[in-house]
Amino acid sequence: KTWGDGISAISMVGSTMSTQGGNIYVRGLSWDTSDDDGTNYGVNIESATISSQAGSIQMIGEVKGRFTTGIGMRIWSGNSNTSITSTSGSITITGTGSDQTTNGNGWRVGSYLYSTTTATRITIASTSGNITVEGAAGFAAPVNDKEGLILGGDGFGITSQTGNITLRGTNTLESSGQYCNSIRIAASNAANAIRIGYDGTNPYSGNILVEGISIYQRNNNAGAGSISMQ
């Protein structure tokens, strides 16, 4: 936990975590009570490699309090690839966010996963384990940019060969603006920019559930197939 201004409770940048079969559990809470001018993350993962093989992976990030920009769970490719993988283990990624008066006017998200380029990918993958990615927005600030779950960029994949995949978003203020949804998908204008399910090589047989009251594609792309769910 942290009560500081403009910092993350847990930050993994350019690092590697491998258990060779053991479980991985990460939980961080950022709760700024000092002022409203910071950028706060519950859990921040950037240019990192996390692998459990047969073990399960559970990651929970939460942001509360006062800030300008706040994200519960932030996964970013940064300057190099970011990967979260297992073989038979399940992967669960959860981000939640809330705020209190007074607030800055920046954007805020429960879970934010973004791949900057195809050369710096985000890969969340399991061979047979289930994968769940959730984002919950409980923000009260009147800004028109608050989402439950955001998936974005190019070179982004959530895949499992035989496991099920669940993407779920919630937002307590979906009626407050165009950019206030359960789930936002912001795919770049390229085929398979965001790939869910099939990894492009191995057969895939699991179920895919995408659940939210409102689902918004942020970019109006000229080409087809930028969002691939198979």
Side-chain angles (χ1 to χ4, degrees):
K1 297 181 180 179
T2 179
W3 281 264
D5 177 35
I7 59 174
S8 305
I10 295 176
S11 188
M12 298 176 62
V13 179
S15 57
T16 298
M17 179 185 293
S18 177
T19 65
Q20 303 297 317
N23 299 329
I24 295 175
Y25 180 76
V26 176
R27 183 165 190 170
L29 167 62
S30 175
W31 192 338
D32 184 9
T33 58
S34 58
D35 58 42
D36 61 1
D37 63 356
T39 297
N40 284 66
Y41 307 139
V43 174
N44 179 43
I45 299 171
E46 181 176 333
S47 303
T49 299
I50 300 169
S51 175
S52 66
Q53 296 191 18
S56 65
I57 299 174
Q58 184 177 18
M59 310 179 76
I60 303 170
E62 185 175 9
V63 65
K64 290 184 174 183
R66 302 173 62 202
F67 43 80
T68 293
T69 300
I71 301 173
M73 171 66 68
R74 179 182 186 262
I75 301 176
W76 179 269
S77 63
N79 296 321
S80 61
N81 294 334
T82 292
S83 66
I84 302 171
T85 61
S86 71
T87 54
S88 57
S90 63
I91 299 174
T92 304
I93 297 170
T94 304
T96 62
S98 61
D99 52 22
Q100 64 191 58
T101 57
T102 56
N103 284 284
N105 292 320
W107 54 290
R108 46 209 67 205
V109 188
S111 288
Y112 177 73
L113 293 78
Y114 197 93
S115 173
T116 51
T117 68
T118 55
T120 56
R121 303 179 60 86
I122 286 180
T123 299
I124 299 172
S126 180
T127 305
S128 60
N130 297 330
I131 300 175
T132 301
V133 180
E134 298 179 308
F139 303 107
V143 298
N144 180 21
D145 201 346
K146 46 185 181 284
E147 305 278 18
L149 170 64
I150 292 180
L151 309 176
D154 193 356
F156 178 95
I158 299 176
T159 62
S160 179
Q161 292 178 39
T162 58
N164 299 324
I165 295 174
T166 299
L167 307 177
R168 180 179 291 115
T170 61
N171 193 332
T172 57
L173 282 178
E174 286 171 302
S175 61
S176 61
Q178 179 181 3
Y179 307 115
C180 303
N181 303 281
S182 295
I183 299 174
R184 178 195 297 180
I185 301 176
S188 300
N189 186 26
N192 301 314
I194 293 178
R195 174 168 262 167
I196 309 297
Y198 177 51
D199 62 11
T201 302
N202 299 292
Y204 173 77
S205 61
N207 298 318
I208 300 174
L209 172 66
V210 182
E211 186 175 65
I213 292 176
S214 57
I215 301 173
Y216 178 63
Q217 157 61 339
R218 178 65 178 87
N219 299 333
N220 184 15
N221 292 333
S226 58
I227 302 171
S228 174
M229 296 191 185
Q230 297 172 276

